[in-house]
Coordinates of all heavy atoms in Angstrom, one line a residue:
A76 N 40.7 -50.4 -129.1 CA 41.4 -49.2 -129.7 C 42.4 -48.7 -128.7 O 43.6 -48.4 -129.1 CB 40.4 -48.2 -130.1
S77 N 42.0 -48.6 -127.5 CA 43.0 -48.1 -126.4 C 44.2 -49.1 -126.3 O 45.3 -48.7 -126.2 CB 42.3 -48.0 -125.1 OG 41.2 -47.1 -125.1
F78 N 43.8 -50.4 -126.2 CA 44.9 -51.4 -126.1 C 45.9 -51.4 -127.3 O 47.1 -51.5 -127.1 CB 44.2 -52.8 -125.9 CG 45.2 -53.9 -125.5 CD1 46.0 -53.8 -124.4 CD2 45.2 -55.1 -126.3 CE1 46.8 -54.9 -124.0 CE2 46.1 -56.1 -125.9 CZ 46.8 -56.0 -124.8
R79 N 45.3 -51.2 -128.5 CA 46.1 -51.2 -129.7 C 47.0 -50.0 -129.7 O 48.1 -50.0 -130.1 CB 45.2 -51.2 -130.9 CG 44.6 -52.6 -131.2 CD 43.7 -52.7 -132.4 NE 44.5 -52.6 -133.6 CZ 44.0 -52.8 -134.8 NH1 42.7 -53.1 -135.0 NH2 44.8 -52.8 -135.9
S80 N 46.5 -48.8 -129.2 CA 47.3 -47.6 -129.1 C 48.5 -47.8 -128.2 O 49.6 -47.4 -128.5 CB 46.5 -46.4 -128.6 OG 45.6 -46.0 -129.7
F81 N 48.2 -48.5 -127.1 CA 49.2 -48.8 -126.1 C 50.2 -49.7 -126.8 O 51.5 -49.5 -126.7 CB 48.6 -49.5 -124.9 CG 49.6 -50.1 -124.0 CD1 50.5 -49.3 -123.2 CD2 49.8 -51.4 -123.9 CE1 51.4 -49.8 -122.4 CE2 50.8 -52.0 -123.1 CZ 51.6 -51.2 -122.3
L82 N 49.8 -50.8 -127.4 CA 50.7 -51.8 -128.0 C 51.6 -51.1 -129.2 O 52.7 -51.4 -129.3 CB 49.9 -53.0 -128.6 CG 49.3 -53.9 -127.6 CD1 48.5 -55.0 -128.3 CD2 50.3 -54.5 -126.7
R83 N 50.9 -50.2 -129.8 CA 51.6 -49.4 -130.9 C 52.8 -48.6 -130.2 O 53.9 -48.6 -130.8 CB 50.7 -48.5 -131.6 CG 51.4 -47.8 -132.8 CD 50.4 -47.0 -133.6 NE 49.2 -47.7 -134.0 CZ 48.0 -47.5 -133.6 NH1 47.7 -46.5 -132.8 NH2 47.0 -48.2 -134.1
S84 N 52.6 -48.1 -129.1 CA 53.6 -47.3 -128.4 C 54.8 -48.3 -127.9 O 55.9 -47.8 -127.7 CB 53.1 -46.6 -127.2 OG 52.8 -47.5 -126.1
E85 N 54.5 -49.5 -127.8 CA 55.5 -50.5 -127.4 C 56.0 -51.3 -128.6 O 56.8 -52.3 -128.4 CB 54.9 -51.4 -126.4 CG 54.6 -50.8 -125.1 CD 54.5 -51.9 -123.9 OE1 54.2 -53.0 -124.2 OE2 54.9 -51.5 -122.8
F86 N 55.6 -51.0 -129.8 CA 56.0 -51.6 -131.0 C 55.6 -53.1 -131.0 O 56.4 -54.0 -131.5 CB 57.5 -51.5 -131.3 CG 57.9 -50.0 -131.3 CD1 58.5 -49.4 -130.3 CD2 57.6 -49.3 -132.5 CE1 58.8 -48.1 -130.3 CE2 58.0 -47.9 -132.5 CZ 58.6 -47.3 -131.5
S87 N 54.4 -53.5 -130.5 CA 54.0 -54.8 -130.5 C 52.5 -55.0 -130.9 O 51.8 -55.8 -130.4 CB 54.2 -55.5 -129.1 OG 53.4 -54.8 -128.1
E88 N 52.1 -54.0 -131.7 CA 50.7 -54.0 -132.1 C 50.3 -55.2 -133.0 O 49.1 -55.5 -133.1 CB 50.4 -52.7 -132.9 CG 48.9 -52.5 -133.3 CD 48.7 -51.3 -134.2 OE1 49.7 -50.8 -134.7 OE2 47.5 -51.0 -134.4
E89 N 51.3 -55.9 -133.6 CA 51.0 -57.0 -134.4 C 50.2 -58.1 -133.7 O 49.4 -58.8 -134.3 CB 52.3 -57.6 -135.1 CG 53.2 -58.3 -134.1 CD 54.1 -57.4 -133.3 OE1 54.1 -56.2 -133.6 OE2 54.8 -57.9 -132.4
N90 N 50.3 -58.2 -132.4 CA 49.6 -59.2 -131.6 C 48.1 -59.0 -131.7 O 47.4 -59.9 -132.0 CB 50.1 -59.3 -130.2 CG 51.6 -59.8 -130.2 OD1 52.0 -60.6 -131.0 ND2 52.3 -59.4 -129.2
A91 N 47.7 -57.8 -131.4 CA 46.3 -57.4 -131.4 C 45.8 -57.5 -132.8 O 44.7 -57.9 -133.1 CB 46.1 -56.0 -130.8
E92 N 46.6 -57.0 -133.8 CA 46.2 -57.1 -135.2 C 45.9 -58.5 -135.6 O 45.0 -58.8 -136.4 CB 47.2 -56.4 -136.1 CG 47.2 -54.9 -136.0 CD 48.2 -54.3 -136.9 OE1 48.6 -54.9 -137.9 OE2 48.5 -53.1 -136.7
F93 N 46.8 -59.4 -135.3 CA 46.7 -60.8 -135.6 C 45.4 -61.4 -135.0 O 44.6 -62.1 -135.6 CB 47.9 -61.6 -135.2 CG 47.8 -63.1 -135.4 CD1 47.7 -63.6 -136.7 CD2 47.7 -63.9 -134.2 CE1 47.7 -65.0 -136.8 CE2 47.5 -65.3 -134.4 CZ 47.5 -65.8 -135.7
W94 N 45.2 -61.1 -133.7 CA 44.0 -61.6 -133.0 C 42.7 -61.1 -133.7 O 41.8 -61.9 -134.0 CB 44.0 -61.1 -131.5 CG 42.9 -61.7 -130.7 CD1 42.9 -62.9 -130.1 CD2 41.6 -61.2 -130.5 NE1 41.7 -63.1 -129.5 CE2 40.9 -62.1 -129.8 CE3 41.0 -60.0 -131.0 CZ2 39.6 -61.9 -129.4 CZ3 39.7 -59.8 -130.5 CH2 39.0 -60.7 -129.8
V95 N 42.7 -59.8 -134.1 CA 41.5 -59.3 -134.8 C 41.4 -59.9 -136.2 O 40.3 -60.3 -136.5 CB 41.6 -57.7 -134.9 CG1 40.6 -57.1 -135.9 CG2 41.5 -57.1 -133.6
A96 N 42.4 -60.1 -136.9 CA 42.4 -60.7 -138.2 C 41.8 -62.1 -138.1 O 41.0 -62.6 -138.9 CB 43.8 -60.7 -138.8
C97 N 42.2 -62.9 -137.1 CA 41.7 -64.2 -136.8 C 40.2 -64.2 -136.5 O 39.5 -65.1 -137.0 CB 42.5 -65.0 -135.7 SG 44.2 -65.3 -136.1
E98 N 39.8 -63.3 -135.7 CA 38.4 -63.2 -135.4 C 37.6 -62.9 -136.6 O 36.5 -63.5 -136.9 CB 38.1 -62.1 -134.3 CG 38.6 -62.4 -133.0 CD 37.9 -63.6 -132.4 OE1 36.7 -63.6 -132.1 OE2 38.6 -64.7 -132.2
N99 N 38.0 -62.0 -137.5 CA 37.4 -61.7 -138.8 C 37.4 -62.9 -139.7 O 36.4 -63.2 -140.4 CB 38.0 -60.4 -139.5 CG 37.7 -59.2 -138.7 OD1 36.8 -59.1 -137.9 ND2 38.6 -58.2 -138.8
Y100 N 38.5 -63.6 -139.8 CA 38.6 -64.8 -140.6 C 37.6 -65.8 -140.2 O 37.0 -66.4 -141.1 CB 40.1 -65.3 -140.4 CG 40.3 -66.7 -141.0 CD1 40.6 -66.8 -142.4 CD2 40.2 -67.8 -140.3 CE1 40.8 -68.1 -143.0 CE2 40.4 -69.1 -140.9 CZ 40.7 -69.2 -142.2 OH 40.9 -70.4 -142.8
K101 N 37.3 -66.0 -138.9 CA 36.4 -67.0 -138.5 C 35.0 -66.8 -138.9 O 34.2 -67.7 -139.0 CB 36.4 -67.1 -137.0 CG 37.6 -67.7 -136.3 CD 37.5 -67.7 -134.9 CE 38.8 -68.0 -134.2 NZ 38.7 -67.9 -132.7
K102 N 34.7 -65.5 -139.3 CA 33.4 -65.1 -139.7 C 33.1 -65.3 -141.2 O 32.0 -65.2 -141.7 CB 33.1 -63.7 -139.4 CG 33.1 -63.4 -137.9 CD 33.0 -61.9 -137.6 CE 33.3 -61.6 -136.1 NZ 33.4 -60.2 -135.9
T103 N 34.2 -65.7 -141.9 CA 34.1 -65.9 -143.4 C 33.4 -67.1 -143.7 O 33.7 -68.2 -143.2 CB 35.6 -65.9 -143.9 OG1 36.3 -64.8 -143.5 CG2 35.5 -65.9 -145.4
K104 N 32.4 -67.0 -144.6 CA 31.6 -68.2 -145.0 C 32.1 -68.9 -146.3 O 32.2 -70.0 -146.4 CB 30.1 -67.8 -145.2 CG 29.5 -67.1 -144.0 CD 29.3 -68.1 -142.9 CE 28.7 -67.5 -141.6 NZ 29.2 -67.9 -140.4
S105 N 32.5 -68.0 -147.3 CA 32.9 -68.5 -148.6 C 34.2 -69.2 -148.5 O 35.2 -68.6 -148.1 CB 32.9 -67.4 -149.6 OG 33.7 -67.7 -150.7
P106 N 34.3 -70.5 -149.0 CA 35.6 -71.1 -149.0 C 36.7 -70.4 -149.8 O 37.9 -70.4 -149.5 CB 35.3 -72.6 -149.6 CG 33.9 -72.7 -149.4 CD 33.2 -71.3 -149.5
V107 N 36.3 -69.8 -150.9 CA 37.2 -69.0 -151.7 C 37.8 -67.8 -151.0 O 39.0 -67.6 -150.9 CB 36.6 -68.5 -153.0 CG1 37.5 -67.6 -153.8 CG2 36.2 -69.7 -153.9
K108 N 36.9 -67.1 -150.3 CA 37.3 -65.9 -149.5 C 38.1 -66.4 -148.3 O 39.1 -65.7 -147.9 CB 36.1 -65.1 -149.0 CG 35.3 -64.4 -150.0 CD 35.9 -63.1 -150.2 CE 35.1 -62.2 -151.2 NZ 35.9 -61.3 -151.9
M109 N 37.7 -67.5 -147.7 CA 38.5 -68.0 -146.6 C 39.9 -68.4 -147.0 O 40.9 -68.0 -146.3 CB 37.8 -69.3 -146.0 CG 38.4 -69.8 -144.8 SD 37.4 -71.1 -144.0 CE 36.2 -70.1 -143.2
A110 N 40.1 -69.0 -148.2 CA 41.4 -69.3 -148.6 C 42.3 -68.0 -148.9 O 43.5 -68.0 -148.6 CB 41.3 -70.1 -149.9
E111 N 41.6 -67.0 -149.5 CA 42.3 -65.7 -149.7 C 42.7 -65.0 -148.4 O 43.9 -64.6 -148.3 CB 41.4 -64.8 -150.5 CG 41.1 -65.2 -151.9 CD 40.0 -64.3 -152.5 OE1 39.5 -63.3 -151.9 OE2 39.7 -64.6 -153.7
K112 N 41.8 -65.0 -147.4 CA 42.1 -64.4 -146.1 C 43.2 -65.2 -145.4 O 44.1 -64.6 -144.8 CB 40.8 -64.3 -145.3 CG 40.0 -63.2 -145.7 CD 38.8 -63.1 -144.7 CE 37.9 -62.0 -145.1 NZ 36.7 -61.8 -144.1
A113 N 43.1 -66.5 -145.5 CA 44.1 -67.4 -144.8 C 45.5 -67.1 -145.4 O 46.5 -66.9 -144.6 CB 43.8 -68.9 -145.0
K114 N 45.6 -67.0 -146.7 CA 46.9 -66.7 -147.3 C 47.4 -65.3 -146.9 O 48.6 -65.1 -146.5 CB 46.8 -66.7 -148.9 CG 48.0 -66.5 -149.6 CD 47.8 -66.6 -151.1 CE 49.1 -66.7 -151.9 NZ 49.6 -65.4 -152.4
K115 N 46.5 -64.3 -146.8 CA 46.9 -63.0 -146.4 C 47.4 -63.0 -145.0 O 48.4 -62.4 -144.6 CB 45.7 -62.0 -146.6 CG 46.1 -60.6 -146.3 CD 45.0 -59.6 -146.6 CE 45.5 -58.2 -146.4 NZ 44.5 -57.3 -145.8
I116 N 46.7 -63.6 -144.1 CA 47.0 -63.7 -142.7 C 48.4 -64.4 -142.5 O 49.3 -64.0 -141.8 CB 46.0 -64.4 -141.8 CG1 44.7 -63.5 -141.7 CG2 46.5 -64.7 -140.4 CD1 43.5 -64.2 -141.1
Y117 N 48.5 -65.5 -143.3 CA 49.8 -66.3 -143.2 C 51.0 -65.3 -143.6 O 52.0 -65.3 -143.0 CB 49.7 -67.5 -144.1 CG 51.0 -68.2 -144.1 CD1 51.5 -69.1 -143.2 CD2 51.9 -68.0 -145.2 CE1 52.7 -69.7 -143.2 CE2 53.2 -68.6 -145.3 CZ 53.5 -69.5 -144.3 OH 54.8 -70.1 -144.3
E118 N 50.8 -64.7 -144.8 CA 51.9 -63.8 -145.3 C 52.2 -62.6 -144.4 O 53.3 -62.2 -144.3 CB 51.5 -63.4 -146.7 CG 51.6 -64.4 -147.7 CD 51.2 -64.0 -149.1 OE1 50.5 -62.9 -149.3 OE2 51.4 -64.8 -150.0
E119 N 51.2 -62.1 -143.8 CA 51.3 -60.8 -143.0 C 51.9 -61.2 -141.6 O 52.6 -60.4 -141.0 CB 50.0 -60.1 -142.9 CG 50.1 -58.7 -142.3 CD 48.8 -58.0 -142.5 OE1 47.8 -58.5 -143.0 OE2 48.8 -56.8 -142.0
F120 N 51.4 -62.3 -141.0 CA 51.7 -62.6 -139.6 C 52.5 -63.9 -139.2 O 53.1 -63.9 -138.2 CB 50.4 -62.6 -138.8 CG 49.6 -61.4 -138.8 CD1 48.5 -61.3 -139.6 CD2 50.0 -60.3 -138.0 CE1 47.7 -60.1 -139.6 CE2 49.2 -59.1 -138.0 CZ 48.1 -59.0 -138.9

Side-chain angles (χ1 to χ4, degrees):
S77 298
F78 189 56
R79 286 178 75 169
S80 290
F81 168 74
L82 292 176
R83 188 176 303 115
S84 75
E85 293 201 330
F86 304 101
S87 62
E88 184 185 14
E89 70 279 352
N90 293 329
E92 287 183 19
F93 174 69
W94 186 87
V95 168
C97 290
E98 288 299 295
N99 291 335
Y100 171 81
K101 290 178 192 176
K102 297 173 189 169
T103 307
K104 302 291 182 220
S105 158
V107 172
K108 289 275 187 207
M109 187 171 282
E111 289 171 4
K112 284 184 178 183
K114 183 176 190 265
K115 185 175 186 220
I116 291 170
Y117 174 80
E118 289 175 348
E119 191 170 358
F120 298 103

